[in-house]
């Protein structure tokens, strides 16, 4: 195994990791603050992809504005889901079960909505011209688009960190995730903040879907596929921990990239194996503070 | 949220009536002479048992497990593998199914119970996916993604009517045992854990032990349901262990009403019936089922039985003290 | 005590029963009921929806000509959700409630394996129209099962013949989805190629999960191994995703991609307008542009008129299935006597749109697998089937008899499975 191969796998692992992180970040955010495991997260990913298709391939908008609008669209859809439906079950006895059912029902509904509007054909978006050419560093040749995705991943992580740590909004988020009632007593507009967080998280999901659309298949059913992958990342890193999702994604990405060199027959089990290891020795996740469960 | 609890006095008679009603219903289904009804009812019984096993964890003990399909599948594969490899006959393999389910729960349970709340739920989901992954991948042993077909149960069982009454007998027995468990002091402790784990611990009770016991029992009955399924369909596959299967029983329980003992069974019947009906008429079944789920969550959170119970109470007798009287 | 009244009552009852019985029979004589199960949601949804459309076209054509011996074809469809448990339930309902004469479908091989058991138990003929697992005609064969689309063995055999002629193809790398279909497609090919060429080696393999969204780490590993040929056993969206992700790495300049079972399916060509590279070596179970016969053109035209798009190959399987059933009923003179139908159908020849001039598809009694010709081609520019901008061309055609397992091979495989 030579240095080139190592470098190539390191890099492709990083690309995978950043995409995984982008997809999982919204899930982690909602879980950390609102304590809701949004099963429908994958559906917002899907919405983002289809919106992007609609903007870029059908309406003919330029690429980046199309992607951003798609993310915003997914965010709005998320706010609607939270405001009209999810809100009704906050504080109910047995809330967890209802959360699951409600978000799960959205998977089904959105899947059919997407199918009814756009049909079952595979949709395509093209990468922007400027990013089609590869970027060469020595022996390694890497698509520019992937570089951009990595950049976006890092930006999102940094941006979220900044928002959570350095803004008032972020402070409110942390207060709410600690103790919702107390935060309310202290004057935080909890309902508004919750809706905004939800919208932000689903926008992230939509962004990841839109960004992935040029390189993956846009098809109904794609939503359910990403949810388990995101779950694994989030569980490894620590439920509700944003940096945990980042670290979890990195681990999965690189373990897969190198694992397939040695054990190509077992690729499908790598992420499960890592997850099992983490869960056995540190069930709250790698980055969670002890006793945060 | 209330769970099933011991019923005082008159309510006990109401309970017995319920039992008889349900039993009679299932006994008389074949009289309809529609062979498809028998198949449907058989499936309802099996899924109903599975759902009631799940509800022991959720409705009674307050533990939302998203991984019960692992035990259901374990039971199914126990029967499927033992029979196709000719190792043991059905009469031995079926009783082994709950044993394997319980053993798996004993293995995974302690790993999941370390955390609580939604964390617990996610752990159960994660481990169940792991089990699914292994079964899916182990082509040489489990048949991988193709599963196992043509499970050789004894000829007598091939007749739908025979297998139906056999299932009914097994399920009735299993449910009776479940019922005893729920109404026993052990069951009372479980419900107390659901209501307030901390206070229960203060009473000197080893909460974790009871939770693990609940998981093992639930795993056993889930495994039994899986074993029954293997004999019924005579084809099994890894989708028995997929997380969507776990989701099905959650849906059935909540739809039927987690606070009542037979709720999950009713839920199973309703869901299977609706699925069949809707599937017949449209390819867009997802939006219908999703819509129904949504409506249940928003408008009928107590489920079918719970809501019915609410309506009948409002019509008739006065409310007793603030604590709603025990559900039948 | 006997009385006049009783006698009249008895006669009236018998008369009524006769009338009702006859009416029942008379009504049944009207229709041939086919119960179809296809996925209509999720990744395979396109295949199911296309199959339904094509089956309806076939049924309409047949009914327009007066049906089969005066009996009309009636189609029922249900989404099987690619779920074996649900499909078995639907199959049972079809048989017991809807009283179908035939079962037809499915796309997922796992579902096919489960439904064939139902077919066997109930002695109802099951016509397979798209799933490809060879097991259904080899180890798990039962007499009420027929398949009217080619299986993985046939695609692999044609591919092995193609590869044998390519002397410059020496180093092979395989990547495919990690489940039985993905593996079997490769294994059949590699085994058959190994019999003809001793100078070929496998330099690497990769088995991502089905529907894997991200192939990037695999792509870099493949590039590093520097094979001459990359065999891929992806289908549908996975093929599309892989090509999209491999393009910027210029993978297709460095090696040939060879996907001989599902790679050339129209929906792949359609999903990559303007980006699909030239020179990919692909095949499919039916091609919209081959053979260039009147029948094939007609079929494609009708499909486009009905649905607004060109068909994926699953559709041709469903089309064939309906015609197969119709012809079987016509020759056997019954739609109810399953054993008589089996005896007739297993020897049938019937012309399909995918048959080139001079060839007619036929069924083999030993495994109830349809025998057809196979064509492998390369992607070349072709604008006749928008939105695709490339179709297959530079065809190499393979004779049907050259690509089927021999009777000895089949019997050996079946014996090996018996316990």
């Amino acid at each position: 195994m030579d240095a080139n191969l190592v470098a190539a796998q390191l890099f492709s692992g990083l690309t995978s990791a950043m995409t995984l992180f982008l997809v999982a970040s919204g899930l982690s955010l909602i879980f950390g603050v609102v304590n809701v495991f949004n099963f429908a997260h994958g559906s917002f990913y899907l919405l983002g992809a289809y919106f992007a298709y609609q903007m870029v391939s059908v309406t003919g908008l330029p690429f980046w504005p199309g992607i951003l609008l798609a993310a915003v669209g997914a965010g709005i859809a998320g706010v609607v889901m939270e405001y009209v439906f999810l809100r009704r079950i906050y504080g109910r006895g047995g809330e967890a079960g209802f959360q699951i059912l409600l978000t799960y029902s959205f998977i089904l509904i959105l899947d059919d909505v997407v199918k009814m509007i756009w049909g079952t054909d595979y949709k395509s978006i093209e990468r922007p011209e400027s990013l089609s050419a590869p970027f060469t560093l020595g022996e390694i040749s890497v698509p520019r688009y992937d570089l951009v995705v990595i950049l976006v991943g890092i930006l999102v992580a940094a941006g979220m960190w900044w928002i959570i740590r350095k803004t008032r909004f972020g402070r409110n988020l942390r207060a709410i995730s600690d103790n919702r009632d107390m935060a309310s007593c202290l004057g935080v507009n909890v309902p508004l903040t919750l809706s905004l967080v939800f919208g932000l998280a689903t926008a992230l999901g939509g962004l990841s879907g839109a960004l992935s659309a040029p390189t993956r298949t846009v098809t109904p059913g794609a939503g359910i596929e990403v949810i388990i992958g995101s779950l694994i990342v989030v569980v490894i890193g620590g439920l509700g921990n944003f940096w945990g999702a980042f670290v979890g994604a990195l681990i999965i990405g690189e373990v897969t990239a190198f694992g397939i060199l040695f054990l190509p027959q077992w690729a499908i089990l790598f992420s499960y194996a890592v997850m099992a290891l983490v869960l056995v020795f540190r069930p709250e996740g790698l980055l969670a503070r002890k006793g945060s469960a | 949220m209330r769970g099933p609890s011991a019923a005082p006095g008159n309510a006990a008679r109401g309970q017995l009536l319920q039992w008889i009603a349900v039993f009679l219903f299932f006994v008389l289904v074949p009289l309809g002479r529609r062979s498809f009804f028998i198949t449907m009812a058989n499936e309802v019984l099996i899924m109903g048992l599975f759902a009631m096993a799940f509800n022991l964890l959720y409705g009674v003990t307050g533990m939302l497990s998203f991984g019960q399909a692992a035990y259901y599948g374990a039971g199914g594969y126990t029967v499927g593998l033992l029979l196709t490899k000719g190792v043991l006959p059905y009469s031995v393999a079926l009783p082994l199914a709950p044993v394997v389910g319980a053993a798996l729960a004993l293995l995974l349970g302690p790993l999941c119970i370390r955390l609580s709340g939604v964390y617990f739920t996610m752990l159960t989901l994660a481990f169940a996916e792991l089990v699914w992954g292994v079964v899916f991948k182990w082509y040489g042993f489990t048949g991988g993604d193709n599963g196992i077909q043509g499970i050789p149960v004894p000829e007598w069982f091939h007749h739908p009517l025979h297998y139906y009454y056999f299932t009914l007998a097994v399920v009735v027995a299993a449910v009776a045992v479940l019922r005893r468990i729920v109404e026993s002091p052990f069951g009372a402790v479980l419900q107390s854990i659901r209501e307030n784990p901390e206070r229960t611990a203060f009473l000197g009770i080893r909460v974790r032990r009871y939770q693990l016991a609940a998981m093992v029992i639930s795993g056993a009955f889930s495994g039994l349901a899986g074993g029954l399924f293997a004999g019924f369909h005579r084809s099994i596959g890894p989708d028995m262990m997929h997380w969507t299967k776990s989701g099905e029983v959650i849906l059935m329980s909540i739809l039927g009403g987690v606070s009542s003992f037979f709720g999950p069974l009713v839920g199973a019947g309703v869901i299977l019936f609706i699925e069949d009906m809707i599937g017949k008429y449209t390819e867009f079944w997802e939006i219908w089922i999703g819509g129904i789920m949504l409506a249940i969550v928003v408008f009928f959170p107590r489920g079918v039985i719970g809501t019915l119970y609410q309506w009948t109470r409002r019509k008739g007798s006065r409310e007793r003290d603030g604590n709603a009287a025990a559900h039948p | 005590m006997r009385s006049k009244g009783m006698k009249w009552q008895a006669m009236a009852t018998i008369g009524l029963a006769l009338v009702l019985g006859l009416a029942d029979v008379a009504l049944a004589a009207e229709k041939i009921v086919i119960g179809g199960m296809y996925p209509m949601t999720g990744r395979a949804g396109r295949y199911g929806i296309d199959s339904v459309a094509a089956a309806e076209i076939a049924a309409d054509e047949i009914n327009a000509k007066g049906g089969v011996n005066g009996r009309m074809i009636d189609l029922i469809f249900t989404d099987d959700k690619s779920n074996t448990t649900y499909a078995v339930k639907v199959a049972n309902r079809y048989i017991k409630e809807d009283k179908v004469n035939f079962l037809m479908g499915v796309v997922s091989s796992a579902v096919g394996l489960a439904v064939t058991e139902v077919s066997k138990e109930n002695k109802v003929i099951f016509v397979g129209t798209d799933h490809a697992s060879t097991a259904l005609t080899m180890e798990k064969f039962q007499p009420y099962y027929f398949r009217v689309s080619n299986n993985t063995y046939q695609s692999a055999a044609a591919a092995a013949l193609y590869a044998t002629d390519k002397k410059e193809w020496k180093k092979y790398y395989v990547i495919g989805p990690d489940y039985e279909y993905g593996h079997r497609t490769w294994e059949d090919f590699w085994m058959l190629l190994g019999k003809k060429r001793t100078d070929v080696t496998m330099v690497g393999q990769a088995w991502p999960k089905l529907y894997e969204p991200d192939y990037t780490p695999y792509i870099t590993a493949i590039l590093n191994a520097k094979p001459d040929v990359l065999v891929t056993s992806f289908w549908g969206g996975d093929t599309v995703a892989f090509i999209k992700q491999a393009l910027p790495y210029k993978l297709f300049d460095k090696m040939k991609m060879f996907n001989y079972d599902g790679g050339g399916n129209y929906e792949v060509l359609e999903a990559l307008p303007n980006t699909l590279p030239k020179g990919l070596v692909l095949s499919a179970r039916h091609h919209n542009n081959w053979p260039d016969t009147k029948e094939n053109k007609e079929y494609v035209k009708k499909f486009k008129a009905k649905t607004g798009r060109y068909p994926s190959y699953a559709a041709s399987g469903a089309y064939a299935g309906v015609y197969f059933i119709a012809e079987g009923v016509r020759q056997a003179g019954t739609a109810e006597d399953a054993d008589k139908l089996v005896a007739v159908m297993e020897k049938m020849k019937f012309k399909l749109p995918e048959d080139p001039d001079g060839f007619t598809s036929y069924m083999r009694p030993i495994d109830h697998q349809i025998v057809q010709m196979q064509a492998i081609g390369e992607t070349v520019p072709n604008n006749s089937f928008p939105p695709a901008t490339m179709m297959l061309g530079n065809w190499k055609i393979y004779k049907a008899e050259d690509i089927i397992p021999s009777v000895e091979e089949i019997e050996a495989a079946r014996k090996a499975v018996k316990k």
Side-chain angles (χ1 to χ4, degrees), chain B residues 34-36 39 43 84 136-137 139 145-146 149-150 158 229 233-234 239 272 275-276 279-280 283 285, chain C residues 40-41 49 77-79 81 83-86 88-89 93 96-97 110 113-114 117 121 140 178-180 419:
Chain B
R34 300 274 286 272
S35 160
F36 182 62
T39 316
E43 193 147 343
T84 29
F136 185 90
K137 184 66 192 152
Y139 188 71
D145 55 293
N146 276 343
Q149 290 84 30
H158 283 227
F229 179 82
H233 259 213
R234 281 171 263 127
D239 50 320
L272 287 172
E275 249 184 15
D276 190 62
K280 231 162 56 154
E283 68 177 84
W285 56 269
Chain C
M40 298 184 206
T41 43
I49 297 187
F77 292 108
T78 306
D79 177 1
K81 310 180 192 176
N83 181 315
T84 51
T85 312
Y86 188 70
V88 167
K89 201 158 63 146
R93 168 160 60 78
K96 296 178 181 157
E97 285 282 294
L113 283 166
E117 297 290 321
E121 267 299 299
K140 299 274 183 168
D178 192 2
Y179 75 122
E180 203 237 350
K419 275 170 276 279

XYZ file of all heavy atoms in Angstrom, chain B residues 34-36 39 43 84 136-137 139 145-146 149-150 158 229 233-234 239 272 275-276 279-280 283 285, chain C residues 40-41 49 77-79 81 83-86 88-89 93 96-97 110 113-114 117 121 140 178-180 419:
443
model
N -64.784 -17.480 4.552
C -63.941 -16.829 3.579
C -62.512 -17.156 3.977
O -62.034 -16.701 5.003
C -64.158 -15.316 3.611
C -65.567 -14.905 3.304
C -65.776 -14.769 1.821
N -65.141 -13.561 1.317
C -65.719 -12.383 1.267
N -66.938 -12.221 1.734
N -65.083 -11.344 0.785
N -61.881 -17.931 3.168
C -60.547 -18.394 3.536
C -59.588 -17.246 3.783
O -58.674 -17.331 4.599
C -60.057 -19.320 2.417
O -58.699 -19.431 2.451
N -59.790 -16.144 3.083
C -58.877 -15.029 3.277
C -59.022 -14.420 4.665
O -58.060 -13.947 5.248
C -59.091 -13.970 2.202
C -58.135 -12.831 2.345
C -56.772 -13.042 2.237
C -58.588 -11.565 2.644
C -55.879 -12.011 2.392
C -57.711 -10.521 2.787
C -56.354 -10.745 2.664
N -56.817 -16.228 6.998
C -55.421 -15.811 6.879
C -55.197 -14.484 7.571
O -54.237 -14.299 8.309
C -55.057 -15.652 5.389
O -55.576 -16.735 4.656
C -53.561 -15.577 5.225
N -52.911 -13.653 10.959
C -51.861 -12.651 11.008
C -52.121 -11.655 12.133
O -51.193 -11.229 12.826
C -51.808 -11.938 9.658
C -50.565 -11.129 9.522
C -50.069 -11.085 8.106
O -50.490 -11.924 7.283
O -49.259 -10.203 7.822
N -35.493 -26.201 8.656
C -34.944 -26.448 7.318
C -33.673 -27.259 7.383
O -33.346 -27.980 6.446
C -34.658 -25.152 6.542
O -34.350 -24.123 7.446
C -35.831 -24.733 5.703
N -28.557 -10.298 7.588
C -28.600 -9.964 6.162
C -27.327 -10.420 5.465
O -27.339 -10.902 4.340
C -28.754 -8.452 6.033
C -28.939 -7.967 4.627
C -30.210 -7.849 4.098
C -27.858 -7.592 3.858
C -30.391 -7.373 2.806
C -28.031 -7.123 2.568
C -29.293 -7.012 2.042
N -26.231 -10.282 6.177
C -24.946 -10.524 5.545
C -24.561 -12.008 5.551
O -23.885 -12.497 4.672
C -23.909 -9.709 6.322
C -22.524 -9.731 5.780
C -22.398 -9.062 4.439
C -21.027 -9.400 3.874
N -20.954 -9.402 2.460
N -24.988 -14.913 4.529
C -25.713 -15.627 3.492
C -25.647 -17.135 3.678
O -26.625 -17.843 3.491
C -25.140 -15.228 2.122
C -25.942 -15.751 0.976
C -27.192 -15.245 0.686
C -25.447 -16.778 0.184
C -27.936 -15.729 -0.360
C -26.185 -17.262 -0.872
C -27.420 -16.742 -1.147
O -28.159 -17.224 -2.182
N -30.104 -12.046 2.262
C -31.248 -11.216 1.912
C -32.375 -12.035 1.287
O -33.502 -11.566 1.216
C -30.829 -10.095 0.956
C -30.136 -10.638 -0.276
O -29.033 -11.171 -0.154
O -30.707 -10.517 -1.368
N -32.077 -13.223 0.828
C -33.151 -14.038 0.260
C -34.033 -14.648 1.332
O -35.184 -14.977 1.075
C -32.569 -15.183 -0.573
C -32.246 -14.714 -1.971
O -32.719 -13.687 -2.409
N -31.427 -15.480 -2.650
N -37.118 -20.112 2.565
C -38.475 -20.438 2.127
C -38.753 -21.914 2.328
O -37.850 -22.703 2.523
C -38.662 -20.136 0.634
C -38.670 -18.675 0.290
C -37.277 -18.148 0.133
O -36.393 -18.879 -0.257
N -37.089 -16.888 0.427
N -40.003 -22.233 2.243
C -40.390 -23.641 2.297
C -40.050 -24.295 3.613
O -39.585 -25.423 3.653
N -50.322 -27.354 7.447
C -50.426 -26.614 6.202
C -51.848 -26.123 5.950
O -52.049 -25.154 5.255
C -49.971 -27.498 5.030
C -48.484 -27.626 4.944
N -47.790 -27.475 3.781
C -47.562 -27.872 5.890
C -46.495 -27.651 4.007
N -46.330 -27.890 5.282
N -45.076 -17.045 13.346
C -45.086 -16.498 12.003
C -44.345 -17.413 11.031
O -44.801 -17.646 9.909
C -44.444 -15.115 12.006
C -44.401 -14.487 10.660
C -45.511 -13.832 10.162
C -43.263 -14.566 9.877
C -45.489 -13.253 8.906
C -43.231 -13.998 8.620
C -44.341 -13.338 8.130
N -46.324 -18.476 7.617
C -45.971 -18.104 6.257
C -45.074 -19.124 5.588
O -45.000 -19.201 4.371
C -45.233 -16.758 6.265
C -46.077 -15.605 5.872
N -45.599 -14.526 5.195
C -47.394 -15.368 6.072
C -46.578 -13.671 4.998
N -47.668 -14.150 5.518
N -44.348 -19.816 6.389
C -43.341 -20.775 5.931
C -42.275 -20.123 5.065
O -41.527 -20.810 4.378
C -44.000 -21.956 5.205
C -44.572 -22.949 6.193
C -45.406 -24.026 5.573
N -46.821 -23.706 5.642
C -47.652 -23.692 4.598
N -47.206 -23.975 3.419
N -48.907 -23.381 4.765
N -36.249 -8.961 6.651
C -37.151 -7.847 6.915
C -37.984 -8.072 8.162
O -38.588 -7.137 8.690
C -38.052 -7.515 5.708
C -38.752 -8.729 5.147
O -38.127 -9.791 5.062
O -39.926 -8.608 4.778
N -53.678 -3.911 10.042
C -53.566 -4.922 8.979
C -54.737 -4.817 8.021
O -54.584 -4.966 6.809
C -53.479 -6.317 9.596
C -52.126 -6.596 10.258
C -52.147 -7.894 11.027
C -51.042 -6.635 9.202
N -54.282 -1.607 5.896
C -53.194 -1.816 4.932
C -53.680 -2.605 3.747
O -53.371 -2.308 2.600
C -52.080 -2.623 5.604
C -50.826 -1.859 5.841
C -49.746 -2.747 6.409
O -49.865 -3.979 6.368
O -48.774 -2.167 6.902
N -54.442 -3.647 4.033
C -54.913 -4.497 2.965
C -55.890 -3.756 2.075
O -55.807 -3.802 0.853
C -55.575 -5.746 3.560
C -55.860 -6.765 2.492
O -54.889 -7.236 1.870
O -57.035 -7.058 2.243
N -54.143 -0.923 0.111
C -53.237 -1.478 -0.883
C -53.972 -1.951 -2.117
O -53.462 -1.901 -3.230
N -55.229 -2.367 -1.879
C -56.020 -2.866 -2.991
C -56.365 -1.755 -3.974
O -56.498 -1.981 -5.160
C -57.333 -3.449 -2.440
C -57.608 -4.841 -2.933
C -58.601 -5.653 -2.172
C -59.973 -5.166 -1.950
N -60.880 -6.315 -1.773
N -51.966 3.023 -5.456
C -50.526 2.886 -5.284
C -50.019 3.936 -4.310
O -48.891 3.847 -3.840
C -49.808 3.050 -6.619
C -49.899 4.460 -7.157
C -49.141 4.649 -8.445
O -49.721 4.329 -9.500
O -48.002 5.126 -8.402
N -50.534 4.435 -1.265
C -50.968 4.046 0.077
C -50.201 4.792 1.153
O -50.691 4.959 2.275
C -50.791 2.529 0.260
C -49.397 2.056 0.009
C -48.886 1.635 -1.173
C -48.348 1.992 0.960
N -47.573 1.321 -1.010
C -47.213 1.510 0.290
C -48.235 2.287 2.321
C -46.010 1.320 0.919
C -47.015 2.094 2.949
C -45.910 1.619 2.240
N -44.389 -0.218 -6.268
C -44.747 1.061 -6.886
C -44.266 2.224 -6.045
O -44.547 3.373 -6.335
C -46.268 1.142 -7.052
C -46.745 0.046 -7.969
S -48.479 0.186 -8.272
C -48.915 -1.493 -8.652
N -43.537 1.887 -4.981
C -42.971 2.931 -4.133
C -41.511 2.574 -3.912
O -41.100 1.452 -4.084
C -43.666 2.965 -2.760
O -43.843 1.630 -2.308
C -45.012 3.627 -2.857
N -44.307 0.651 -11.894
C -45.261 1.493 -12.617
C -45.160 1.266 -14.116
O -46.174 1.211 -14.823
C -45.028 2.964 -12.241
C -45.306 3.104 -10.740
C -45.895 3.893 -13.035
C -45.284 4.488 -10.226
N -53.763 -5.003 -9.855
C -52.400 -4.722 -9.416
C -52.378 -4.256 -7.984
O -53.260 -3.535 -7.540
C -51.763 -3.632 -10.284
C -51.511 -4.088 -11.679
C -52.282 -3.624 -12.723
C -50.511 -5.000 -11.942
C -52.063 -4.050 -14.013
C -50.277 -5.432 -13.240
C -51.060 -4.961 -14.279
N -51.345 -4.668 -7.263
C -51.137 -4.151 -5.911
C -49.653 -3.866 -5.743
O -48.812 -4.599 -6.263
C -51.561 -5.205 -4.859
O -52.884 -5.607 -5.120
C -51.476 -4.638 -3.460
N -49.354 -2.809 -5.009
C -47.969 -2.480 -4.702
C -47.451 -3.489 -3.678
O -47.946 -3.545 -2.563
C -47.909 -1.055 -4.137
C -46.510 -0.657 -3.722
O -45.579 -1.452 -3.885
O -46.364 0.462 -3.211
N -44.588 -3.390 -2.335
C -43.686 -2.665 -1.447
C -42.319 -3.332 -1.321
O -41.579 -3.068 -0.387
C -44.269 -2.526 -0.035
C -45.682 -2.011 0.010
C -46.156 -1.921 1.461
C -47.635 -1.684 1.514
N -48.182 -1.679 2.846
N -41.734 -6.040 -0.209
C -41.773 -6.608 1.131
C -42.315 -8.025 1.044
O -43.454 -8.227 0.630
C -42.691 -5.710 1.979
C -42.793 -6.190 3.410
O -42.955 -7.375 3.678
N -42.718 -5.267 4.324
N -41.488 -9.017 1.440
C -41.896 -10.409 1.220
C -43.148 -10.765 2.008
O -44.044 -11.429 1.484
C -40.775 -11.380 1.626
O -40.333 -11.047 2.935
C -39.607 -11.289 0.683
N -43.243 -10.328 3.255
C -44.417 -10.688 4.053
C -45.689 -10.150 3.421
O -46.685 -10.851 3.282
C -44.296 -10.084 5.467
O -43.001 -10.365 5.968
C -45.343 -10.646 6.378
N -45.626 -8.885 3.030
C -46.805 -8.271 2.465
C -47.172 -8.922 1.138
O -48.346 -9.161 0.866
C -46.552 -6.775 2.275
C -47.779 -6.005 1.882
C -48.817 -5.806 2.788
C -47.910 -5.480 0.608
C -49.947 -5.122 2.427
C -49.043 -4.786 0.244
C -50.059 -4.608 1.154
O -51.178 -3.928 0.791
N -46.649 -11.963 0.148
C -47.272 -13.271 0.365
C -48.733 -13.090 0.741
O -49.623 -13.810 0.296
C -46.517 -14.041 1.467
C -47.312 -15.243 1.927
C -45.163 -14.480 0.958
N -48.996 -12.060 1.572
C -50.375 -11.809 1.967
C -51.217 -11.426 0.751
O -52.331 -11.909 0.566
C -50.377 -10.661 2.983
C -51.614 -10.632 3.829
C -51.394 -9.890 5.114
C -51.072 -8.453 4.892
N -51.627 -7.607 5.949
N -54.416 -13.269 -0.876
C -55.712 -12.618 -1.091
C -56.135 -12.800 -2.535
O -57.299 -13.104 -2.822
C -55.632 -11.126 -0.756
C -56.880 -10.400 -1.248
C -57.133 -9.077 -0.572
N -56.084 -8.109 -0.727
C -55.873 -7.389 -1.825
N -56.639 -7.528 -2.863
N -54.893 -6.517 -1.851
N -57.411 -16.411 -2.868
C -58.591 -16.825 -2.128
C -59.777 -15.890 -2.301
O -60.914 -16.328 -2.305
C -58.232 -16.946 -0.656
C -57.212 -18.047 -0.464
C -56.762 -18.214 0.961
C -55.730 -19.334 0.996
N -54.852 -19.274 2.131
N -59.533 -14.595 -2.392
C -60.641 -13.662 -2.493
C -60.954 -13.297 -3.929
O -62.087 -13.320 -4.370
C -60.291 -12.367 -1.748
C -60.343 -12.459 -0.258
C -61.762 -12.411 0.253
O -62.401 -11.364 0.091
O -62.223 -13.413 0.801
N -36.154 -11.642 -3.727
C -36.557 -12.201 -2.434
C -38.074 -12.381 -2.393
O -38.586 -13.398 -1.907
C -36.096 -11.285 -1.301
N -39.022 -15.356 -4.513
C -38.797 -16.638 -3.844
C -39.928 -16.971 -2.884
O -40.308 -18.132 -2.731
C -37.459 -16.602 -3.088
C -36.231 -16.747 -3.979
C -34.980 -16.367 -3.223
C -36.111 -18.174 -4.487
N -40.462 -15.967 -2.206
C -41.555 -16.227 -1.263
C -42.862 -16.512 -1.994
O -43.605 -17.424 -1.620
C -41.721 -15.042 -0.307
N -43.491 -19.991 -3.447
C -43.982 -20.993 -2.499
C -45.502 -20.969 -2.428
O -46.151 -22.012 -2.345
C -43.402 -20.721 -1.103
C -41.900 -20.838 -1.029
C -41.409 -22.267 -1.179
O -42.059 -23.170 -0.636
O -40.394 -22.467 -1.853
N -47.963 -24.067 -3.266
C -48.966 -24.577 -2.314
C -50.346 -24.627 -2.930
O -51.113 -25.551 -2.725
C -49.066 -23.637 -1.116
C -48.241 -23.911 0.086
C -48.477 -25.214 0.789
O -49.598 -25.445 1.268
O -47.527 -25.976 0.870
N -34.747 -23.722 -6.771
C -36.060 -23.575 -6.128
C -37.189 -23.758 -7.135
O -38.285 -23.253 -6.943
C -36.181 -22.170 -5.525
C -35.151 -21.885 -4.463
C -35.615 -22.375 -3.126
C -34.591 -21.998 -2.084
N -34.981 -22.140 -0.753
N -24.081 -5.392 -2.184
C -23.822 -6.570 -1.373
C -25.115 -7.305 -1.051
O -25.637 -7.219 0.036
C -23.122 -6.138 -0.073
C -22.556 -7.341 0.672
O -22.674 -8.467 0.156
O -22.014 -7.137 1.769
N -25.652 -8.011 -2.015
C -26.723 -8.950 -1.753
C -26.712 -9.988 -2.851
O -25.881 -9.901 -3.759
C -28.070 -8.246 -1.568
C -28.754 -7.710 -2.807
C -30.031 -8.145 -3.139
C -28.178 -6.739 -3.601
C -30.697 -7.644 -4.241
C -28.839 -6.244 -4.701
C -30.097 -6.700 -5.016
O -30.755 -6.196 -6.098
N -27.580 -10.949 -2.771
C -27.427 -12.125 -3.627
C -27.336 -11.752 -5.103
O -26.465 -12.237 -5.814
C -28.590 -13.105 -3.397
C -28.225 -14.530 -3.804
C -29.161 -15.137 -4.833
O -30.207 -14.534 -5.110
O -28.830 -16.221 -5.344
N -31.543 -32.338 0.259
C -30.854 -32.786 1.469
C -30.836 -34.274 1.576
O -31.842 -34.906 1.403
C -31.546 -32.183 2.693
C -31.008 -30.788 2.981
C -31.828 -30.072 4.031
C -33.051 -29.405 3.447
N -32.803 -28.133 2.832
